Amino acid sequence: MQNFFVDDRCLITPLQREEGVRLFGEVVGAHQVPLATAVAECAQRAQEITVDLTAVDYLSNSALATLVGLARTLRPPQALVIVSQPALRLDLRLQERGWDGLDTLYLRCT
């Protein structure tokens, strides 16, 4: 990702030490396109794409669905690694929707 995305609710920046992006603030449906674009750019260059959500206060279901959709486009050994804080409850949210069994999506809580 060459650039970053920012609006009044969300900031998306490239990671410095690994291929991926870090998000800040509240990620809602309006951020689906910039999120998908940023992750897709990273997927062209790496086997493991990290999406760091540790500074995200809110992640909408539509934004989560975007990440799952992106993971579904990957083929092993490529994978999307979501790093999250427990407060977002992504493990439960993924499980409730049947999205927890993807072999190209990993969740790491900090």
Side-chain angles (χ1 to χ4, degrees), residues 3-4 6 14 18 36 56-57 90 94 106:
N3 299 312
F4 62 92
V6 65
E18 56 194 318
V56 168
D57 300 318
L90 293 187
L94 288 168
Y106 300 99

Side-chain angles (χ1 to χ4, degrees), residues 16-85:
Q16 298 299 314
R17 297 193 174 143
E18 56 194 318
E19 200 62 54
V21 293
R22 184 163 192 212
L23 288 81
F24 298 83
E26 297 179 355
V27 185
V28 297
H31 301 119
Q32 289 176 293
V33 170
L35 176 59
T37 301
V39 173
E41 286 178 15
C42 295
Q44 294 176 358
R45 299 184 298 269
Q47 294 296 315
E48 186 174 282
I49 304 100
T50 300
V51 177
D52 184 341
L53 302 176
T54 56
V56 168
D57 300 318
Y58 173 79
L59 182 75
S60 71
N61 287 332
S62 58
L64 180 58
T66 296
L67 292 173
V68 170
L70 290 163
R72 286 183 171 150
T73 67
L74 303 176
R75 297 291 168 251
Q78 252 189 327
L80 186 67
V81 178
I82 300 174
V83 182
S84 173
Q85 55 177 308

Side-chain angles (χ1 to χ4, degrees), residues 2-16:
Q2 297 294 334
N3 299 312
F4 62 92
F5 170 85
V6 65
D7 69 7
D8 60 333
R9 298 178 90 178
C10 176
L11 169 66
I12 303 174
T13 64
L15 291 173
Q16 298 299 314

